[in-house]
């Protein structure tokens, strides 16, 4: 996944197979697409309450768990009031 090189030192969103959404600064990655995020937070979505952000700090994610990597526009992200967003959590991926 050499295309990850362009995301290093940028704020990204990872969507994982278990449905979690992790936001952080891409600090590094390896040949198996394992990713290290700095200053990371898990965003927990709820249909009843606003989005909760849980601080994770420096966080390692196994490449096999990652479904999506996307760059976040920091200006837009800062302008959004997460407390006003209502959304169902992403369901985990099920195989078989």
């Amino acid at each position: 996944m050499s295309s990850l090189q362009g995301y290093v030192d940028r704020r990204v969103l990872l969507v994982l197979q278990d449905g979690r959404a992790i936001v952080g600064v891409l600090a590094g990655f390896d040949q198996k697409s394992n990713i290290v995020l700095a200053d990371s937070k898990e965003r927990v979505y709820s249909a009843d309450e606003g989005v909760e952000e849980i601080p994770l700090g420096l966080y390692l994610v196994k490449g096999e768990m990652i479904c999506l990597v996307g760059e976040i526009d920091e200006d837009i992200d800062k302008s959004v009031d997460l407390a006003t967003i209502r959304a169902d959590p992403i369901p985990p991926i099920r195989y078989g």
Side-chain angles (χ1 to χ4, degrees):
M1 254 203 196
S2 63
S3 61
L4 287 174
Q5 185 61 44
Y7 293 118
V8 173
D9 295 327
R10 295 188 180 184
R11 194 151 196 79
V12 296
L13 166 71
L14 303 182
V15 176
L16 307 184
Q17 287 187 17
D18 60 6
R20 289 183 293 160
I22 311 289
V23 175
V25 177
L26 184 70
F29 64 95
D30 66 10
Q31 68 276 7
K32 294 190 178 196
S33 299
N34 298 314
I35 289 181
V36 177
L37 295 178
D39 188 31
S40 63
K41 298 174 185 169
E42 180 178 354
R43 288 187 177 170
V44 180
Y45 294 86
S46 168
D48 302 321
E49 301 174 15
V51 177
E52 178 184 5
E53 285 195 320
I54 301 169
L56 302 173
L58 190 64
Y59 202 69
L60 172 64
V61 182
K62 290 178 70 172
E64 64 190 37
M65 292 296 298
I66 300 169
C67 294
L68 178 132
V69 178
E71 185 176 2
I72 291 180
D73 184 313
E74 291 193 56
D75 293 332
I76 293 173
D77 194 52
K78 287 177 185 174
S79 70
V80 174
D81 181 5
L82 294 176
T84 63
I85 295 176
R86 306 289 187 265
D88 288 325
I90 300 170
I93 293 176
R94 297 181 190 189
Y95 296 100

